[in-house]
Amino acid sequence: MLKVEEYKHQAATCVRCSYCKFPDLNYIKSSRFSRQCPIDTRYRFNLYSAHGLLHSALAELDGKLEFTPKLMDALWHCTLCGGCDIRCKRNLDVEVLQVIETLRCRCVEQGKGPMPEHKMLADNVKKSHNIYGADHKERLNWMPEDVKPAQKADILYFVGDPSSYRHPEIAQATARLLSQAGVPFMVLADEWSSGHELFATGQLELAREMADHNIKAIKDSGAKKVITSDAECYKTLKADYPKILEKSTEDMPYSVLHITEYVDQLMKDGKLKFRRRVPMKVTYHDPCNLGRLAEPWYHWEPKYEPPNIAVGKTWRRGYNGVYEPPRNILKGIRGIELIEMQRVWDNAWCCGYGGGVGTAFPDFALWTAGERAEEARTTGAEAIVSCCPNCKDILGQAAEAKKTGMKVYDITEIMLRAIR
Amino acid sequence: MSIPREAYQTLQSIVGTEWVSDDPAICEADRYCSLSSPSEEKRRPGCSIEPVSTEEVQAIVKVANRYKLPFVVTSTYYSAGTYCRKDDSILIDLKRMNKLEIDEENLYAIVEPGVVFSALQADLFKRGLCTFVPGCGGHASVVANTVNMGDAPLGWRYGLGYQRLLGVEWVLPDGEMLKMGSLSMSKDYFWGEGPGPDLRGLLRGCAGHQSRMGIITKIGVKVFPFVSEELEPEGWAFRSFIKLPPNRFKWYNIRFYSREDAINAMFELGRCEIALVVMTVPPIFRGVARTRGVGCGGFWEFWKDAGPKLNPKQMDLRVLLYGIGSDKRLEYEEKVLLDIVKEYGGSPREAPCRDETNFMAADAICANVVGGRFSSEVSYESINQAVRYSKVVDKITDEHRPPILQEYNSTDWVCPYELGYIAKMECLRMASVEDNYALQEWKNDCQDACAKGGAYALVPDNKVFGPIWGNYPEKEDKIRAAFDPNHVSAPG
Ligand SMILES: Cc1cc2nc3c(=O)[nH]c(=O)nc-3n(C[C@H](O)[C@H](O)[C@H](O)COP(=O)(O)OP(=O)(O)OC[C@H]3O[C@@H](n4cnc5c(N)ncnc54)[C@H](O)[C@@H]3O)c2cc1C
């Protein structure tokens, strides 16, 4: 959460040019898929956009505006996909996303937010350490019998709530993949929710509790590397935990890799080969949390020199995310033909689930995913591949609702088919 | 004060309850946009409304007239120099009107106000056609920009945007519909001329009518044949570009050792009718471009060192050659260019064959990063007068420094159009966010000087220019009164 002075400075620096609503203009391939911001594209009023929210942040801070029903609606419909943030950093260097996140926190502090569904997540986490309120004892029920995790290993697989409870096939594929690649790995005996949605919905106290617990557990495990197959967990471990602790990613007591980064490295080192053909035309969806939001976090205490020099600041501009490894993997599997969508890499259109939207506004999440499914359909691919359980979930629903006839896979499932 | 209940309910019945709102947050976010003067009071609209069709727009305007409610219209609201100056205004946002049709054979596109340049361009490229993105950015509305000025560096060859305006569908301030050009005779938008006097002049103008003459709901806009190759994008964020086919395009950066030589070379290029873009490159633009991605601090680190070393006599030109129709044409243009450069003692250097900011994107806003705020003084004149006026602005700027930041009298941006017939001169000046008013004061002084010097200012201050330019505001008011008897179209 930004401190008030910095929050104000950032919001005031926005000149409302509207660039935040578009992908990199040089990358626009058609009028049909020429927008970037889901809330802007769906709801159109300027309030439903980054510059609208930044202006509201200023007005709210100055006491000219309260959290009206529409402000709440716009604020909590935002998927925090970060498209606006990196677009602005092409031109203006405003910390757009941090202002929106801070506005959410202010809303929570004033007892107006988050949405009831988000509060329920928090209740569930308090009760059973996962957002679904499922039995904590069943967290590792997904583990296949044919896989025996190590008691001690350099690699720790951090599973996350969605793959532990809702999409066990992803956790299973990851575990089998590691095991078939001969990589000893362990899992935490007492993994708690990563807290991803708690961070996103401004419920920071509880989010911090999750961070403290998981960081300690990781440290105690003695693991050298944490691997995750969940883009949300990846971003949370890499950026949110250091952020809430006012540290930088490099100062954390662990390093985190997405499974695609790890496998890509194994392939490059000649330690893993995909021998089986997987004949399939696929298109790849970049999860926001693995792409533009997945950059390392750099802690910075605001310090300015005139005219507007942010002294000692390292910028996060969205291009240090994980974009190539999943593509390298797909291209490295015989039989796979990768056909790209129009909006890819840092210009990718969000799946719609993030920022707590999938939880509180499933219809809007589905609409957003529907836009992506339509875009995927135009590639002529048979399947959409992604790297995040919630992307898989909502894109799967959308592909069906839009009658695209496309299947949606997590990349771990494809890798497992190719290695077996 | 608020919009009368009955009027609001009627608006709801026109667009549906989802698309009109008087929620304070919705209205606050529509209070103003980027090009608004800091000293003017901007009112929060009484409601914001998002029509989707011409019929809805017409009905809204009729409600505004019936209840005498002022309205202000925006298309993408990037630079609405217009904002609500009166209480209880209806802010009509046309983003939802985004239909786009391309007539490949007859070389025009029909666009609604929500269509932005980059989107139109992407669809045109696929058909071997193109339009020109204005300097402000590809995310500006084609309609709003074309009925305003529409200047883009590619105007060197193809002229200013408003010259590409063809048939027009226009909801007048009283809600009546006017169809202009060929549209008035048939359903075709292909030609700007039609029976009776050509009323496009009421819309167009240096800075347009700024929403004071009703609402344009659809226009026909001329497009041009272009290369058929797919222009692939490359690069990241602030370093992205599209690749141009090298057999048809060539960029040259040319240094001249006196401003006179550069000016003469520009005139000569026009006389020989070559090139697609010809413009000066102010060193400060190069500084901004070179240091993109390292923030304000990175720029000043570079500029504090590079700025004082500038030779104010030098002037750099940037020229894009285009082999219209054939590779041979490119070869010819290159020979002519190099002859001219030689004649005026310039040093040419070929630049990479790609485009960052003319065809798809444009990044005027990025200049803000170096201070927090920038403003520019713009005039339209002949090339040599433009350069002369830039020296006047230099002098005025020195009187305002600090708080205006050091650009080291770096030469200004001279961007000629129509093969050098008219030139835009833009002097870019910077100040920190907190010094927003300083730029306004600087601009006021420049306008005075511009008026005295007889230059043609963009967005002229009526109080300064009115008496000099034949009291045009009074005449404008008379025309407006005839079209807008209830004085509801962006009054104030
Ligand atoms: C940094 C910066 C640089 C710029 N550089 C250039 C440049 O190089 N070249 C150039 O041509 N312009 C430039 N401009 C100004 C330019 O006119 C606008 O940026 C842009 O074209 C306006 O379009 P918009 O989509 O933002 O429209 P809006 O902001 O929505 O509207 C612009 C004006 O047109 C009126 N309007 C909008 N839609 C309609 C309609 N349908 N019917 C009637 N009136 C309407 C509005 O009321 C307003 O007065 C620049 C602006 C900025 C901020």
Side-chain angles (χ1 to χ4, degrees):
Chain A
M1 183 170 169
L2 292 171
K3 297 190 178 112
V4 171
E5 273 304 299
E6 177 64 357
Y7 176 60
K8 191 169 183 169
H9 177 76
Q10 291 298 333
T13 304
C14 165
V15 294
R16 318 195 210 309
C17 71
S18 280
Y19 200 49
C20 50
K21 297 170 181 171
F22 296 88
D24 180 335
L25 300 173
N26 279 320
Y27 277 85
I28 291 180
K29 299 271 177 80
S30 72
S31 58
R32 170 66 182 90
F33 300 113
S34 60
R35 309 212 54 116
Q36 174 93 87
C37 169
I39 47 171
D40 161 65
T41 309
R42 169 66 185 83
Y43 298 104
R44 306 327 299 262
F45 287 108
N46 285 314
L47 174 64
Y48 289 79
S49 73
H51 76 76
L53 290 173
L54 262 60
H55 183 73
S56 306
L58 268 188
E60 189 275 328
L61 196 64
D62 292 346
K64 289 186 202 141
L65 187 67
E66 289 175 3
F67 285 100
T68 69
K70 282 289 182 189
L71 176 53
M72 292 284 287
D73 198 56
L75 182 61
W76 296 102
H77 268 81
C78 168
T79 60
L80 300 183
C81 76
C84 52
D85 191 77
I86 62 155
R87 213 52 61 215
C88 188
K89 295 220 183 64
R90 175 186 166 104
N91 278 341
L92 259 186
D93 283 353
V94 179
E95 294 291 356
V96 178
L97 200 57
Q98 285 190 62
V99 175
I100 298 174
E101 285 168 351
T102 307
L103 185 60
R104 281 189 170 192
C105 292
R106 287 179 66 86
C107 182
V108 172
E109 270 176 5
Q110 292 177 29
K112 304 273 170 59
M115 295 287 112
E117 294 82 353
H118 300 142
K119 288 183 190 154
M120 206 130 85
L121 295 181
D123 291 344
N124 288 340
V125 167
K126 279 184 212 152
K127 201 173 67 197
S128 49
H129 307 318
N130 65 77
I131 53 173
Y132 308 114
D135 192 341
H136 185 53
K137 288 203 284 301
E138 291 172 7
R139 191 166 186 105
L140 280 172
N141 279 7
W142 60 267
M143 186 68 79
E145 282 182 4
D146 53 319
V147 175
K148 297 276 169 272
Q151 288 301 314
K152 267 282 171 231
D154 288 347
I155 304 284
L156 170 78
Y157 174 35
F158 190 96
V159 189
D161 291 346
S163 303
S164 298
Y165 293 103
R166 294 284 157 93
H167 286 281
E169 74 282 4
I170 297 176
Q172 286 160 356
T174 308
R176 286 195 170 113
L177 182 73
L178 290 171
S179 146
Q180 293 194 21
V183 178
F185 71 96
M186 50 184 172
V187 289
L188 289 178
D190 189 21
E191 179 187 299
W192 285 9
S193 171
S194 71
H196 177 83
E197 274 197 71
L198 301 173
F199 282 106
T201 54
Q203 304 183 85
L204 296 190
E205 218 173 288
L206 192 56
R208 191 184 169 126
E209 226 178 276
M210 298 301 109
D212 288 343
H213 171 88
N214 286 327
I215 292 169
K216 182 169 182 309
I218 292 168
K219 230 160 108 180
D220 291 349
S221 76
K224 293 205 174 112
K225 278 194 178 93
V226 179
I227 287 181
T228 178
S229 51
D230 180 328
E232 291 178 349
C233 290
Y234 180 76
K235 183 252 183 179
T236 299
L237 291 168
K238 195 168 175 184
D240 292 339
Y241 285 4
K243 187 169 162 187
I244 200 161
L245 297 173
E246 303 197 342
K247 287 183 175 181
S248 296
T249 299
E250 61 196 16
D251 301 326
M252 297 303 283
Y254 57 83
S255 72
V256 57
L257 289 176
H258 188 263
I259 183 74
T260 54
E261 289 177 287
Y262 188 67
V263 170
D264 184 38
Q265 197 52 54
L266 290 180
M267 285 166 71
K268 283 182 180 140
D269 295 344
K271 292 184 183 156
L272 189 148
K273 278 206 170 65
F274 292 114
R275 294 185 196 283
R276 285 179 187 268
R277 269 177 69 82
V278 182
M280 203 190 295
K281 272 192 199 168
V282 303
T283 189
Y284 174 69
H285 166 75
D286 290 275
C288 310
N289 287 299
L290 192 61
R292 55 192 167 229
L293 298 174
E295 297 210 341
W297 182 258
Y298 302 96
H299 178 64
W300 182 67
E301 283 298 333
K303 184 177 169 214
Y304 289 94
E305 278 173 10
N308 191 23
I309 300 173
V311 182
K313 178 162 179 165
T314 305
W315 301 91
R316 297 168 83 232
R317 296 188 185 277
Y319 48 77
N320 286 318
V322 181
Y323 299 105
E324 294 205 55
R327 290 179 167 83
N328 292 343
I329 290 168
L330 290 172
K331 285 178 199 157
I333 297 175
R334 286 185 309 128
I336 292 260
E337 187 188 339
L338 173 64
I339 315 168
E340 294 279 11
M341 283 186 263
Q342 294 188 16
R343 291 170 293 188
V344 288
W345 294 54
D346 58 324
N347 295 308
W349 174 263
C350 173
C351 78
Y353 198 93
V357 172
T359 304
F361 305 103
D363 289 351
F364 174 57
L366 191 58
W367 177 86
T368 307
E371 285 290 290
R372 193 59 163 164
E374 293 276 11
E375 188 177 350
R377 186 194 345 227
T378 63
T379 64
E382 304 151 52
I384 305 172
V385 177
S386 194
C387 290
C388 181
N390 284 331
C391 291
K392 178 183 172 186
D393 195 308
I394 195 78
L395 288 172
Q397 291 179 46
E400 206 177 306
K402 292 272 174 187
K403 299 193 174 47
T404 59
M406 296 177 85
K407 295 232 159 33
V408 180
Y409 296 104
D410 188 83
I411 197 162
T412 51
E413 298 173 277
I414 303 283
M415 288 195 282
L416 188 63
R417 276 168 74 170
I419 204 172
R420 266 188 169 156
Chain B
M1 293 268 283
S2 63
I3 297 202
R5 213 62 233 153
E6 200 184 63
Y8 189 73
Q9 280 164 353
T10 315
L11 292 174
Q12 284 181 318
S13 71
I14 295 167
V15 292
T17 49
E18 189 187 352
W19 298 112
V20 56
S21 176
D22 58 0
D23 182 286
I26 292 271
C27 299
E28 182 59 38
D30 279 340
R31 195 189 276 264
Y32 63 94
C33 238
S34 69
L35 261 191
S36 39
S37 137
S39 52
E40 265 198 75
E41 195 189 345
K42 297 139 205 127
R43 311 279 165 115
R44 187 189 278 179
C47 74
S48 293
I49 190 162
E50 307 252 346
V52 77
S53 67
T54 302
E55 292 70 32
E56 287 186 5
V57 171
Q58 229 184 332
I60 294 164
V61 172
K62 285 190 172 154
V63 171
N65 273 278
R66 194 179 324 140
Y67 292 92
K68 309 245 181 324
L69 295 169
F71 66 85
V72 164
V73 60
T74 80
S75 282
T76 60
Y77 216 15
Y78 168 14
S79 83
T82 311
Y83 34 82
C84 299
R85 292 176 170 88
K86 302 275 179 206
D87 285 330
D88 301 332
S89 295
I90 304 173
L91 194 291
I92 307 176
D93 182 340
L94 303 177
K95 263 192 245 91
R96 287 177 71 215
M97 296 181 64
N98 56 9
K99 287 194 205 82
L100 155 60
E101 270 174 63
I102 295 168
D103 185 330
E104 281 174 62
E105 225 166 88
N106 297 300
L107 295 178
Y108 69 93
I110 306 170
V111 287
E112 289 189 340
V115 175
V116 301
F117 278 96
S118 303
L120 171 63
Q121 188 74 297
D123 286 1
L124 288 172
F125 276 171
K126 280 188 276 192
R127 296 166 168 85
L129 300 172
C130 78
T131 182
F132 304 126
V133 171
C136 49
H139 56 305
S141 152
V142 178
V143 169
N145 190 267
T146 307
V147 301
N148 276 267
M149 183 75 176
D151 68 44
L154 294 144
W156 166 264
R157 176 161 291 278
Y158 294 106
L160 290 157
Y162 66 75
Q163 291 161 330
R164 303 198 282 273
L165 186 61
L166 304 172
V168 176
E169 183 184 84
W170 181 4
V171 176
L172 297 172
D174 62 358
E176 283 304 303
M177 166 71 75
L178 183 63
K179 293 185 177 181
M180 297 201 295
S182 52
L183 188 64
S184 59
M185 300 172 281
S186 63
K187 286 194 175 125
D188 262 334
Y189 281 79
F190 79 99
W191 203 27
E193 309 302 324
D198 180 358
L199 295 180
R200 282 178 298 176
L202 290 176
L203 298 177
R204 308 180 311 191
C206 205
H209 60 80
Q210 297 288 311
S211 191
R212 292 191 190 105
M213 288 294 277
I215 302 175
I216 313 302
T217 43
K218 222 182 260 186
I219 60 170
V221 63
K222 192 166 168 23
V223 300
F224 299 90
F226 200 54
V227 292
S228 51
E229 289 93 331
E230 204 174 323
L231 305 178
E232 277 300 323
E234 216 175 276
W236 280 108
F238 42 82
R239 295 257 175 268
S240 72
F241 52 84
I242 52 169
K243 289 190 280 184
L244 298 172
N247 57 329
R248 299 292 289 282
F249 291 92
K250 218 168 234 190
W251 273 113
Y252 270 100
N253 293 331
I254 307 150
R255 169 149 302 167
F256 289 94
Y257 298 92
S258 80
R259 291 191 186 199
E260 283 68 38
D261 285 337
I263 292 166
N264 287 332
M266 279 194 266
F267 276 125
E268 197 59 19
L269 288 165
R271 209 176 60 77
C272 297
E273 297 194 10
I274 62 160
L276 189 57
V277 172
V278 173
M279 61 183 172
T280 68
V281 192
I284 195 157
F285 281 21
R286 279 214 315 269
V288 172
R290 262 179 84 153
T291 56
R292 285 185 83 176
V294 291
C296 179
F299 168 81
W300 283 103
E301 208 172 292
F302 167 80
W303 192 240
K304 272 186 185 139
D305 190 38
K309 289 187 196 144
L310 293 175
N311 177 352
K313 288 194 180 135
Q314 280 174 5
M315 200 170 220
D316 293 344
L317 286 197
R318 192 157 159 75
V319 176
L320 176 62
L321 301 177
Y322 171 32
I324 297 181
S326 75
D327 306 6
K328 282 262 175 282
R329 168 82 196 190
L330 180 63
E331 285 168 27
Y332 164 76
E333 292 214 348
E334 189 173 18
K335 280 191 190 132
V336 177
L337 171 74
L338 295 177
D339 272 356
I340 295 172
V341 170
K342 198 166 162 201
E343 192 180 336
Y344 292 100
S347 309
R349 193 168 50 82
E350 207 181 313
C353 196
R354 62 194 197 197
D355 184 73
E356 287 165 34
T357 60
N358 291 292
F359 289 98
M360 280 302 273
D363 290 315
I365 289 292
C366 71
N368 277 309
V369 87
V370 307
R373 288 284 181 268
F374 78 87
S375 181
S376 57
E377 180 54 19
V378 181
S379 79
Y380 290 88
E381 262 298 351
S382 62
I383 296 173
N384 36 11
Q385 173 62 18
V387 176
R388 237 174 277 146
Y389 179 54
S390 112
K391 286 187 184 157
V392 176
V393 174
D394 275 350
K395 238 175 111 193
I396 297 170
T397 311
D398 282 340
E399 290 158 17
H400 286 259
R401 212 190 310 272
I404 299 229
L405 302 169
Q406 264 298 351
E407 80 298 322
Y408 300 104
N409 284 351
S410 126
T411 48
D412 289 304
W413 187 28
V414 181
C415 190
Y417 304 115
E418 299 171 48
L419 300 167
Y421 182 78
I422 187 94
K424 175 174 81 167
M425 193 283 300
E426 186 156 0
C427 307
L428 190 81
R429 299 294 180 266
M430 308 154 292
S432 61
V433 180
E434 292 72 24
D435 291 321
N436 216 355
Y437 284 91
L439 286 166
Q440 185 64 46
E441 284 163 17
W442 164 80
K443 216 169 158 46
N444 293 344
D445 284 359
C446 288
Q447 291 249 317
D448 276 342
C450 184
K452 282 184 197 132
Y456 189 77
L458 176 71
V459 201
D461 178 343
N462 285 353
K463 283 196 277 325
V464 179
F465 285 86
I468 305 170
W469 290 353
N471 284 323
Y472 71 89
E474 282 171 26
K475 287 166 191 142
E476 217 182 326
D477 283 348
K478 279 187 195 155
I479 297 173
R480 216 174 276 148
F483 281 83
D484 185 9
N486 291 315
H487 204 48
V488 286
S489 193

